[in-house]
Amino acid sequence: MSQTAVPDAVRQAVEGIAMRARSAGRELAQWGTDVKDAALHAMATALVEAGDGIVGENRADLADGERDGLSAGLLDRLRLDSGRIAQIADALREVAGLPDPVGEVLCGRTLPNGLRLRQIRVPMGVVGMIYEARPGVTVDAAGLAVKSGNAVILRGGSAARRTNGAIVAVLGEALEREGLPRDAVQTVDDYGRDGARALMTARGMVDLLIPRGGAGLIQTVVREATVPCIETGVGNCHVYVDSAANLDEALRVVVNSKAQRPSVCNAAETLLVNQQVAQAFLPVAARALAAEGVKLHADPRALALIPGDVDVVPATEADWSTEYLSLDLAVGVVEDVEDAIEHIQTYSSGHTEAICTRDLATATRFVEAMDSAAVIVNASTRFTDGGQFGLGAEIGISTQKLHARGPMGLTELTTTKWVVWGDGQIRT
Amino acid sequence: MSQTAVPDAVRQAVEGIAMRARSAGRELAQWGTDVKDAALHAMATALVEAGDGIVGENRADLADGERDGLSAGLLDRLRLDSGRIAQIADALREVAGLPDPVGEVLCGRTLPNGLRLRQIRVPMGVVGMIYEARPGVTVDAAGLAVKSGNAVILRGGSAARRTNGAIVAVLGEALEREGLPRDAVQTVDDYGRDGARALMTARGMVDLLIPRGGAGLIQTVVREATVPCIETGVGNCHVYVDSAANLDEALRVVVNSKAQRPSVCNAAETLLVNQQVAQAFLPVAARALAAEGVKLHADPRALALIPGDVDVVPATEADWSTEYLSLDLAVGVVEDVEDAIEHIQTYSSGHTEAICTRDLATATRFVEAMDSAAVIVNASTRFTDGGQFGLGAEIGISTQKLHARGPMGLTELTTTKWVVWGDGQIRT
């Protein structure tokens, strides 16, 4: 996105949307869990009922996308059909079943002067989401926002503009029928990239901005946003196979971490193998990975141990920091756990790192040294996920340290408020 | 600060400081509470022992400040003597006595597949502080950082450069004598404003940046920072006196909120009075405030009720959003609690709002409607303070909603990490 100024008309329009969102959020914050849950069920029903219309708009987006030469992967993520809409609607019903974080008392005490102090969980207010052309995210974000008492302002990919417009209209009407403010779910998609930039810089009007998508999108938003923003999702995840690993178990963990779903942020991108077990492990692992279609990018020591019939190229410096999101894996041989730690500290994006070892001291050292959202001992990196962790639906995975780290669910869409009840106390 | 590029030499120097801080933070994170507390006591002792030298550097800063025409208030905040140094050292010892947040297990469970999941509190890593010429903040920030296992990079006001340099040298030597990394406490003061700007934009090297000072400083940092940043401290705090208030109690609360210490962020800046009690309350309150030297800025309805011998001027639109930090108070008459809520929602900076009322429904409505860090019923706004809340020392008061809201202590200088222990689990 360019650094030229946002046109005044766009800024005013987006600020108008944000002010209506603020007002809707204030109203939503006052409704109880039962009202919000009823609205989520109504939103789900309305989506299914409006399915044909939404699919029609989606077909138009897909036709434009094909004309504009979108990749098959992007078109696939954009595509909706009645089965997919039913899944998306079910996800809303699941959010309705989650506990409501709003109103939770986090701590409290009566102070020596008699003041009664409480720290209470409250909605953020206005949440912004900037994401790519995945219509399911539109619904997920709206559902999580409503449940947590927030208004949401959406900016989906331009390739999904008509689909998202249809979805937001349906959700808004459902909210209105349930007596909730329609402006709780709005989009700035009509204003293109300028709209996104106005949203990123609407200081005082947006309480939390979450970018979700590829590394380019996230870096742009984090760099340009002047509203509070959370960095999500870039996952350059590592698996380290220690000298004390159970190699059969390590093989399953490595293959699963890389190949079970390579396109997502918790898939492994680099395998580090302790030199003591490299000769025993690497040839077997290379063949098993090759059987899954994985292409290896190997350092010289690993390269020497990989069988000639395996698809492998020499690793470049760039490979160590690349989030492939594909069936590619960087492979290196390290001296020991300290060497592995140093490598990971140098190249990691702070998402998930795993170690395979049966040695307790080594596992503990690795867990303490890793500065990532999740550290996993003897299991697949693929477990870093709100659903897998038992946290319910997630709106993204934070790779920063402020406010939220790791899978972000309903709780991460709230803030707190100190409430103090007194009877005339003053400071002396 | 201008938007011109930071000179390469300054950026490289500051990034070098940040990398050394990262390394020091990693080392500090591994030390237990006993070692960190011993270091805090050593830092306190070293400060007192080096008192004469620090006071000498402080005199030089003061002389420069006088020559440069610094205000009496700024010179006062900059000034150190042996008594003040003893107080600052005692504050370090108090931090040593606080509970260590690091290592706390926030939640945990065993998942159905046998994975043992824990969410553990860990240090942030590298914390940046940008503040004005108050040498006490240098020591407070260093102490809170060490206790919470973080390295800190300080940027104090240029007027305190020599004082801060002497303090940081003393603290670093004390850390080193205790076997802790000297680079855990560093300053970029040698690089002036360019150094501050390099610190604000050292992405990936600074985990949390806290500006502390006047509104101008804070807004500049929040606007220009590309590292995660917390907005602190601007307090346009309100007191609303309801029709159901106990007026004697309300008088004490209003006078205390405004006049007990007008230069701090939790002092009241606007008084709103319900029209039903304005005639009974305002003349008395105006006289009581005038007796404390408070100058009133009144709206037309308030103006009509304020006795002629009281120092009062008509309020302008700007008065409603001004954080005076002085013996000035904006005064308005409102129709009812809803009118008061609307006024506060329009002008508040989100710090602290108080209501005086004996009516439960009115108090509850006010508490729920206010979107501020603290809402206080029948007590002074001056209670919003880490020490008063019983949270221990504070590094600032957050007025944003992300990560921390209200007084920030040791806990707010930490993040969390998910740790997962398995025995070969993979996703299917």
Side-chain angles (χ1 to χ4, degrees), chain B residues 10 28 61 109 126 136 146 171 223 232 235 274 288 314 374 395 407 410:
Chain B
V10 171
L28 205 53
D61 277 337
R109 71 191 67 147
V126 177
V146 167
L171 298 179
R223 201 174 52 240
T232 65
N274 185 296
I395 200 160
L410 289 170

Side-chain angles (χ1 to χ4, degrees), chain A residues 239-262:
Chain A
V239 180
Y240 164 61
V241 177
D242 183 53
S243 55
N246 172 323
L247 296 186
D248 292 339
E249 198 177 281
L251 184 65
R252 287 196 303 275
V253 166
V254 167
V255 171
N256 187 260
S257 296
K258 175 69 256 182
Q260 201 247 350
R261 198 172 167 205

Side-chain angles (χ1 to χ4, degrees), chain A residues 175-379:
Chain A
L175 282 168
E176 209 163 42
R177 279 196 302 274
E178 295 294 309
L180 293 181
R182 186 188 187 116
D183 290 337
V185 180
Q186 297 180 85
T187 146
V188 294
D189 284 352
D190 287 346
Y191 305 100
R193 292 194 162 189
D194 285 332
R197 289 168 58 216
L199 184 62
M200 287 187 257
T201 52
R203 275 196 59 74
M205 290 178 258
V206 173
D207 298 300
L208 169 61
L209 181 65
I210 304 173
R212 186 165 157 182
L217 170 80
I218 291 166
Q219 286 306 314
T220 299
V221 173
V222 170
R223 201 175 49 240
E224 295 193 12
T226 57
V227 302
C229 175
I230 285 191
E231 190 163 352
T232 64
V234 175
N236 181 20
C237 304
H238 298 74
V239 180
Y240 164 61
V241 177
D242 183 53
S243 55
N246 172 323
L247 296 186
D248 292 339
E249 198 177 281
L251 184 65
R252 287 196 303 275
V253 166
V254 167
V255 171
N256 187 260
S257 296
K258 175 69 256 182
Q260 201 247 350
R261 198 172 167 205
S263 64
V264 293
C265 62
N266 59 17
E269 307 292 13
T270 294
L271 166 65
L272 300 173
V273 181
N274 185 297
Q275 45 88 16
Q276 289 185 46
V277 292
Q279 200 152 12
F281 184 72
L282 258 181
V284 183
R287 284 233 162 77
L289 288 160
E292 299 284 336
V294 176
K295 175 178 180 174
L296 303 178
H297 303 248
D299 75 358
R301 291 169 77 185
L303 207 52
L305 294 169
I306 291 172
D309 55 337
V310 166
D311 189 9
V312 58
V313 294
T316 64
E317 174 65 20
D319 280 307
W320 307 118
S321 39
T322 298
E323 187 191 27
Y324 298 112
L325 296 174
S326 62
L327 284 169
D328 291 80
L329 182 68
V331 184
V333 173
V334 293
E335 284 305 300
D336 52 21
V337 68
E338 294 304 327
D339 196 14
I341 288 168
E342 197 182 319
H343 179 102
I344 297 171
Q345 282 177 340
T346 306
Y347 296 105
S348 173
S349 65
H351 191 297
T352 299
E353 327 301 344
I355 183 173
C356 295
T357 188
R358 292 278 149 179
D359 184 75
L360 179 58
T362 305
T364 304
R365 166 69 184 138
F366 187 85
V367 162
E368 290 186 351
M370 288 296 97
D371 190 22
S372 294
V375 191
I376 297 183
V377 179
N378 293 323

Side-chain angles (χ1 to χ4, degrees), chain B residues 6-22:
Chain B
V6 174
D8 281 347
V10 171
R11 179 165 299 285
Q12 281 160 20
V14 170
E15 291 186 357
I17 286 170
M19 297 316 285
R20 289 196 294 280
R22 167 77 61 212

Side-chain angles (χ1 to χ4, degrees), chain A residues 109 124 203 231 256 367 370 373 375 377-378 380 382 390 401 403 405 415-418 420 422 424 427, chain B residues 109 124 203 231 256 367 370 373 375 377-378 382 390 401 403 405 415-418 420 422 424-425 427:
Chain A
R109 71 191 67 149
M124 274 281 171
R203 275 196 59 74
E231 190 163 352
N256 187 260
V367 162
M370 288 296 97
V375 191
V377 179
N378 293 323
S380 172
R382 292 273 296 115
K401 298 182 187 176
H403 184 69
R405 200 176 195 200
T415 181
T416 58
K417 178 158 86 172
W418 290 99
V420 183
R427 265 184 88 170
Chain B
R109 71 191 67 147
M124 275 282 171
R203 275 194 61 72
E231 191 164 349
N256 188 261
V367 162
M370 287 297 97
V375 193
V377 179
N378 293 323
R382 292 272 297 116
K401 298 181 186 176
H403 184 70
R405 201 175 195 202
T415 181
T416 58
K417 177 158 87 173
W418 290 99
V420 183
Q425 283 87 346
R427 266 184 87 171

Side-chain angles (χ1 to χ4, degrees), chain B residues 354-411:
Chain B
I355 182 173
C356 295
T357 188
R358 293 278 149 178
D359 184 75
L360 180 58
T362 304
T364 304
R365 166 71 184 136
F366 186 85
V367 162
E368 290 185 352
M370 287 297 97
D371 191 21
S372 294
V375 193
I376 296 182
V377 179
N378 293 323
S380 172
T381 58
R382 292 272 297 116
F383 284 110
T384 303
D385 172 279
Q388 293 292 319
F389 278 7
L391 308 175
E394 73 182 27
I395 200 160
I397 294 183
S398 164
T399 52
Q400 70 172 45
K401 298 181 186 176
L402 213 62
H403 184 70
R405 201 175 195 202
M408 294 177 63
L410 289 170
T411 303

